[in-house]
Amino acid sequence: MDTMVNNIFVEKAITSKINDVDFDNLSFGSVYTDHMLVCDYVDGAWQTPKVVPYQPISLDPSAKIFHYGQSIFEGMKAYKDENGKAWLFRPLENFKRFNKSAKRLAIPELPESHFMDGLTTLLQVEKDWIPQNPGSSLYIRPFILASGNGFHASPADEYKFIIACAPSGAYFSGKVRVLIEENYSRAANGGVGYAKAGGNYAGQFYPTQLAIEKGYHQVIWTDDNTHEYIEEAGAMNIFVRINDTLITGPTSDRILDGITRKSILQIAEDQGISTEVRKISVSEVVEAANNGSLKEMFGAGTAAVVSPIAAFGHKGTDYELPELEDSYADRLKKYITDVQYNRSDDKFGWRYPVN
């Protein structure tokens, strides 16, 4: 049955897959909901978004996404509280970053109403897909790809904006062992490291695979020029705790302006945790590990919120981190997830109601 929701056309799926889904055993991003949002950029303008049944998309072999990689995305989650009400976490920050990425890749920027109204409409249609199991959520993937045709090296003249969703269980990363990268770089000055461009992640896979073959789970990226400064942890921002000070690198052309990252900095400041936003040298981290002042390292991002690092490798030596009773990682993760699941006050105004 076709309907209008928030002035957006909704074509309902004839049948639903939801009864075939085991919500108690969800892997990350492998089961997809019944519907998706689609919106085309044609004739120099973004058209009206619509919600349609989840389905493959058809592209010409000459579509520029295949040849020149014009593609950006965001990662978000919807949460359901104990009363069944659905929430988003700082979605306007995702929208702002989405358009920042679009601008850098010469993709037409998206109107806020297309993003926010389209997103909330899709989630209202798919509200039953937002899990209520502890730690579970609905992962949301907004993305834009270049659908216009042509082999000439130039921006496309047509694009597709899509939002697809996947219910996901609690994300447990376990004890993560990381390798500090000394040869490969994630991003460079003047490049697109600060954008959530698909090619950034494609370029990470090979060095990460090399690290996995050595027994690590992820790579700690270092600067492209000297490899003397740590920058990101895999696909996450990185935090280092030396004594009682929490340190993270400044955002730049190379470092993504993570929403979890900026939330952690705001919470830490509010709770009186000493923070520093500055360059962090590999030698400083190694020295702190040797003298016992290195207390914690963790990644910060949408999927895991906070992913503690148990050990890091550098120049053939592994450095184990201590296991702390009351870690900053645990404390900060609990604060953020309590806000996300509406279990606590929202003093910063980060929760955004869906229904």
Side-chain angles (χ1 to χ4, degrees), residues 279-305:
K279 294 170 72 173
I280 312 164
S281 69
V282 175
S283 60
E284 179 184 9
V285 174
V286 170
E287 181 182 354
N290 285 326
N291 66 29
S293 62
L294 180 64
K295 305 302 182 185
E296 296 180 67
M297 295 173 65
F298 56 85
T302 298
V305 183

Side-chain angles (χ1 to χ4, degrees), residues 56-347:
I57 58 175
S58 178
L59 293 171
D60 192 282
S62 68
K64 292 203 173 186
I65 177 58
F66 301 133
H67 308 281
Y68 304 112
Q70 274 186 294
S71 172
I72 60 168
F73 70 95
E74 276 295 320
M76 310 171 67
K77 288 181 177 179
Y79 311 86
K80 198 172 271 186
D81 66 24
E82 61 182 12
N83 297 316
K85 186 171 177 62
W87 303 89
L88 292 164
F89 182 74
R90 308 191 73 178
L92 286 170
E93 293 297 323
N94 291 98
F95 165 71
K96 292 174 187 175
R97 189 171 65 186
F98 199 52
N99 269 347
K100 187 176 180 182
S101 299
K103 185 175 182 178
R104 181 61 182 84
L105 270 75
I107 293 171
E109 294 179 52
L110 195 73
E112 182 179 322
S113 59
H114 282 48
F115 187 94
M116 292 303 301
D117 293 349
L119 173 60
T120 53
T121 299
L122 178 62
L123 294 179
Q124 287 165 12
V125 171
E126 303 288 61
K127 60 182 181 298
D128 293 340
W129 282 90
I130 305 173
Q132 205 162 358
N133 306 35
S136 297
S137 59
L138 184 68
Y139 185 78
I140 304 163
R141 173 55 60 87
F143 61 101
I144 294 177
L145 59 88
S147 55
N149 303 334
F151 291 148
H152 48 289
S154 63
D157 57 0
E158 295 184 359
Y159 298 86
K160 282 189 177 295
F161 166 52
I162 297 174
I163 304 179
C165 303
S168 299
Y171 191 103
F172 297 110
S173 56
K175 293 183 178 296
V176 177
R177 304 179 71 85
V178 299
L179 178 65
I180 294 180
E181 182 55 53
E182 299 177 62
N183 298 303
Y184 296 97
S185 299
R186 177 189 169 274
N189 286 331
V192 297
Y194 67 89
K196 283 189 77 72
N200 287 347
Y201 297 81
Q204 294 184 29
F205 295 154
Y206 178 65
T208 301
Q209 188 60 44
L210 295 178
I212 290 171
E213 290 171 1
K214 294 177 182 177
Y216 300 94
H217 300 97
Q218 269 294 354
V219 165
I220 295 290
W221 300 105
T222 51
D223 70 285
D224 64 301
N225 186 28
T226 65
H227 296 287
E228 294 179 0
Y229 297 93
I230 66 173
E231 297 202 326
E232 292 204 348
M236 309 176 80
N237 294 120
I238 188 167
F239 283 83
V240 175
R241 176 184 173 185
I242 297 179
N243 291 317
D244 290 333
T245 299
L246 196 59
I247 311 166
T248 193
T251 56
S252 67
D253 287 348
R254 303 183 308 276
I255 298 179
L256 189 73
D257 187 10
I259 294 159
T260 306
R261 171 190 175 277
K262 66 177 65 176
S263 301
I264 284 173
L265 287 172
Q266 198 165 346
I267 295 163
E269 180 181 355
D270 183 68
Q271 294 194 348
I273 296 173
S274 174
T275 61
E276 294 179 5
V277 178
R278 62 170 174 82
K279 294 170 72 173
I280 312 164
S281 69
V282 175
S283 60
E284 179 184 9
V285 174
V286 170
E287 181 182 354
N290 285 326
N291 66 29
S293 62
L294 180 64
K295 305 302 182 185
E296 296 180 67
M297 295 173 65
F298 56 85
T302 298
V305 183
V306 169
S307 182
I309 293 170
F312 71 90
H314 179 61
K315 293 188 180 299
T317 301
D318 284 350
Y319 300 85
E320 305 288 332
L321 276 80
E323 293 192 16
L324 304 179
E325 289 270 333
D326 181 27
S327 68
Y328 285 176
D330 288 344
R331 194 191 310 179
L332 292 163
K333 181 172 184 176
K334 183 179 186 304
Y335 188 105
I336 290 175
T337 54
D338 281 350
V339 171
Q340 290 169 338
Y341 289 96
N342 195 25
R343 296 191 294 252
S344 67
D345 291 337
D346 180 22
K347 67 183 297 182

Side-chain angles (χ1 to χ4, degrees), residues 1-5 8-14 35 51-53:
M1 182 178 67
D2 299 340
T3 59
M4 293 291 290
V5 179
I8 291 177
F9 175 79
V10 176
E11 178 188 345
K12 296 296 290 289
I14 296 173
H35 300 87
V51 173
V52 299

Side-chain angles (χ1 to χ4, degrees), residues 8-11 36-40 47-52:
I8 291 177
F9 175 79
V10 176
E11 178 188 345
M36 63 185 190
L37 182 91
V38 296
C39 181
D40 290 317
Q47 307 303 300
T48 302
K50 57 185 177 181
V51 173
V52 299

